[in-house]
Amino acid sequence: MSTSFSSAGVSPVSLLLFLASAMFPRLLFGLKQPSFKPTRYVSYTKRLDVEQAINTMEERIGRGEGGRGIESIVLPGSLSAAASALSSLPPNSTVVILSGFPCCVDRSPPSETDGPPGAFSVARAAVALGLKALILTDECNEEVFMSGAAALGGWAGGGRLQLESFPPESDWGDEEARRLIDVASNRCDHIVAIERPGRARDGSCYTMRGIRMDHLLAPLDKVIDVAKEENPRLQVTAIGDGGNELGMGKVYDDIVASEAILMPDECVAVRSCDNLIVASVSNWGGFALAAAAGLARYGRTGEGGTARGMVERCLQSREEETRILANCVEAGCRDGVSGKMESTVDGMSLETSLDCLEDMHDISKVCVR
């Protein structure tokens, strides 16, 4: 389906995690729970140039506030590279955004709250930069994305933002393949995968609890293969927060070797990417990419008048983010950790996510060319 806006199999890994949880409950039920109280950047007084501001944003989102050890796999400079690539695209280029992580496999919809808000952040930045945004997701996530999009406001109109959903791979036929090839060949100049499942070594996609999601997932990763074949210079940016997301193959060996990251080796995603943004929460990576892309454009051209003004064009406010999440939850979206239908993300409060969002805006206020 295309829209413009004007019985999961249980792997052996699941059994092992279940048995381990008897002695270590947090291993199964608290994989993403914060291990400490997040601290905001409460004050910025020192002036930052554009590169310093983007690096500060990267540090802010990569401190490991989910308690999963991701700070050990952050690749410094990745946010800057991704922002430069996104902000440098020619006018009217199309940014294809792959998102939707149906980890609540026994629920309908199975969608989680991490992913849609971040995807909309990237889409908003693309439109603010004079580009088009096309979000691709699974049919099981479509209702949540449609509901979230209803809270976006005027920037999403006029066909600048589109959404297309695809059925699970088991239900694919010639029509679905044709649609995906059309996207990859004719409507794809840059790809951003945010909180999108990545295939493990056995070809399946897993939740952090080791549950297969294959029966819910469309093979959206194939758009990368076709688009790269058409244009080998096309860049793929990926945003993830645990290790099982598309793009995490860029640091596969580091994830497997890390004692701090609790992701089972059998669940780690193997596909790499050009620019990998590792964040405590994937939505936060979306916030940072949107803000950093605005800063990169401002630094290069002066567009927006001020860094703050440009970031305000590219990134939602606290109030807008609250509405987006509320709409997603109203459509049945759940926290991927608690399983509850509430405006929390990865077991962290709404206020924690809003603080990170506000930090992106605050950093832009002290940025100068």
Side-chain angles (χ1 to χ4, degrees):
M1 177 178 179
S2 177
T3 305
S4 297
F5 302 101
S6 352
S7 112
V10 179
S11 73
V13 178
S14 300
L15 181 59
L16 290 174
L17 287 174
F18 179 79
L19 293 174
S21 70
M23 292 184 293
F24 305 101
R26 187 176 174 274
L27 180 61
L28 181 60
F29 298 107
L31 282 170
K32 301 168 98 176
Q33 295 284 7
S35 58
F36 58 92
K37 181 181 175 64
T39 302
R40 285 201 62 215
Y41 286 101
V42 295
S43 176
Y44 286 100
T45 56
K46 181 182 177 181
R47 293 293 180 183
L48 303 172
D49 63 28
V50 169
E51 194 66 20
Q52 289 171 331
I54 292 174
N55 290 341
T56 302
M57 290 176 174
E58 183 173 62
E59 193 279 334
R60 170 64 181 90
I61 64 170
R63 293 184 293 165
E65 290 172 52
R68 285 166 287 174
I70 61 92
E71 62 273 21
S72 65
I73 56 170
V74 172
L75 299 176
S78 294
L79 179 61
S80 179
S84 177
L86 182 59
S87 65
S88 301
L89 291 169
N92 293 314
S93 297
T94 299
V95 179
V96 173
I97 302 167
L98 312 179
S99 192
F101 205 106
C103 61
C104 303
V105 295
D106 296 325
R107 305 291 186 173
S108 182
S111 317
E112 70 159 317
T113 50
D114 194 15
F120 290 133
S121 297
V122 176
R124 178 183 179 127
V127 171
L129 294 169
L131 312 173
K132 298 176 183 178
L134 171 58
I135 296 176
L136 302 184
T137 193
D138 316 287
E139 285 185 349
C140 64
N141 297 314
E142 180 184 13
E143 185 177 354
V144 166
F145 276 91
M146 289 290 292
S147 184
L152 296 182
W155 67 264
R160 306 298 293 185
L161 170 62
Q162 294 186 323
L163 169 70
E164 292 197 24
S165 62
F166 289 81
E169 187 167 15
S170 58
D171 295 337
W172 270 46
D174 292 342
E175 175 61 18
E176 286 74 28
R178 183 199 63 77
R179 287 175 54 209
L180 194 74
I181 290 172
D182 174 64
V183 169
S185 300
N186 303 313
R187 295 183 288 157
C188 183
D189 300 293
H190 188 86
I191 296 174
V192 177
I194 176 168
E195 191 66 8
R196 181 64 193 167
R199 299 178 192 267
R201 286 208 175 276
D202 65 358
S204 289
C205 294
Y206 294 93
T207 71
M208 293 191 77
R209 296 181 175 94
I211 301 173
R212 286 191 180 94
M213 297 178 283
D214 300 351
H215 64 295
L216 297 168
L217 294 172
L220 300 181
D221 54 342
K222 292 183 178 180
V223 76
I224 299 174
D225 300 323
V226 178
K228 283 278 195 180
E229 184 175 344
E230 295 275 344
N231 178 12
R233 298 199 305 175
L234 178 143
Q235 289 200 35
V236 177
T237 292
I239 302 172
D241 60 17
N244 55 349
E245 300 89 2
L246 191 158
M248 282 289 187
K250 194 173 184 73
V251 289
Y252 179 89
D253 291 340
D254 295 325
I255 295 173
V256 172
S258 174
E259 295 182 358
I261 297 176
L262 299 177
M263 174 66 61
D265 294 352
E266 295 86 350
C267 301
V268 178
V270 297
R271 181 184 281 272
S272 188
C273 61
D274 296 292
N275 310 302
L276 177 62
I277 300 171
V278 180
S280 298
V281 176
S282 291
N283 282 344
W284 301 4
F287 300 163
L289 178 57
L295 289 182
R297 175 68 66 83
Y298 163 75
R300 191 169 59 254
T301 68
E303 185 176 338
T306 64
R308 175 181 181 177
M310 193 62 195
V311 169
E312 286 177 350
R313 285 169 50 182
C314 292
L315 182 62
Q316 64 262 42
S317 66
R318 291 174 66 100
E319 294 73 23
E320 291 166 329
E321 174 67 7
T322 300
R323 290 195 298 269
I324 291 169
L325 262 176
N327 276 26
C328 290
V329 171
E330 186 176 351
C333 201
R334 297 172 181 272
D335 185 306
V337 171
S338 70
K340 296 179 180 179
M341 287 176 55
E342 58 186 12
S343 291
T344 58
V345 182
D346 287 356
M348 289 184 261
S349 70
L350 171 62
E351 194 64 26
T352 299
S353 286
L354 295 179
D355 283 349
C356 181
L357 176 66
E358 191 166 314
D359 283 338
M360 299 300 105
H361 285 287
D362 286 349
I363 292 167
S364 74
K365 293 175 185 177
V366 296
C367 178
V368 294
R369 293 179 73 195

